[in-house]
Amino acid sequence: MTLPSFPTLASLPAADHHTLVAAPVAAALAEWSGASEVAVVDIDPDLADTAAMSQAYDIPMTASGNCVVVAGSRGGDERIAACVVRADTRADVNTLVRKMLDVRKASFLPMDRAVEETGMEHGGITPVGLPSAWRLLVHEALLDEPVVVLGSGVRRSKLLVPGRLLADLPGAEVVVGLGR
């Protein structure tokens, strides 16, 4: 099987290179049937932010996915969702995600809390290996991408995932119009 790749990045099988990803990501890869098609690439951690990485490694923004964590509450019950959207869009938090969570107001989870609860680094949060209690909302546009660049849980690497596999992540809900 050929691993997903970009000419400017050296792909390695993610399932065999756990030291390049955060511990929760490695654990999720070990359990996920799609992991054999996932690559990991080593990058300069100073270029981990999507725009900088895209420019430095000549990756189209349409081939990158950003994962943001959103929370709201209703009746004292907190509801959290990770939203994975194509990097040339923004998650529709105030309308679509708020309605899907059935909350009055949805806000980004404070970064320190997102980092603590995911076991991942700021700038590296990925939909692979998130807490199982969280909803995982996936922008439908990402499914059409041959390769999607995602965080790996750490800033010094990225995952390369065939877009179609994002729908197969545990708990994934594909959402039309999630990215605007």
Side-chain angles (χ1 to χ4, degrees):
M1 175 175 304
T2 304
L3 285 173
S5 65
F6 282 99
T8 55
L9 298 168
S11 297
L12 300 168
D16 298 336
H17 291 84
H18 290 168
T19 59
L20 291 176
V21 301
V25 176
L29 287 169
E31 307 242 336
W32 183 34
S33 62
S36 65
E37 295 183 60
V38 177
V40 64
V41 294
D42 210 358
I43 65 164
D44 179 340
D46 292 334
L47 300 173
D49 294 330
T50 304
M53 189 234 17
S54 293
Q55 183 175 6
Y57 296 104
D58 196 27
I59 307 294
M61 292 291 278
T62 56
S64 291
N66 287 333
C67 185
V68 296
V69 183
V70 177
S73 62
R74 182 169 200 95
D77 178 35
E78 183 178 53
R79 300 166 186 192
I80 299 175
C83 304
V84 186
V85 296
R86 205 170 65 188
D88 65 340
T89 68
R90 293 187 179 270
D92 184 4
V93 172
N94 294 321
T95 305
L96 185 59
V97 176
R98 178 184 58 78
K99 287 179 182 177
M100 288 187 75
L101 291 177
D102 190 26
V103 295
R104 293 177 88 186
K105 181 182 178 191
S107 304
F108 294 105
L109 197 66
M111 186 52 63
D112 59 339
R113 186 167 164 212
V115 165
E116 180 181 335
E117 292 188 25
T118 62
M120 300 179 200
E121 295 177 2
H122 168 66
I125 293 177
T126 184
V128 180
L130 290 170
S132 61
W134 292 6
R135 288 180 73 180
L136 174 55
L137 309 179
V138 178
H139 185 192
E140 94 288 349
L142 288 170
L143 302 184
D144 295 330
E145 294 297 325
V147 180
V148 177
V149 179
L150 297 169
S152 65
V154 295
R155 292 183 61 86
R156 66 184 186 93
S157 66
K158 294 287 183 181
L159 295 177
L160 304 183
V161 180
R164 65 179 165 68
L165 285 182
L166 295 176
D168 295 334
L169 283 167
E173 300 172 53
V174 177
V175 181
V176 174
L178 179 61
R180 297 202 176 266

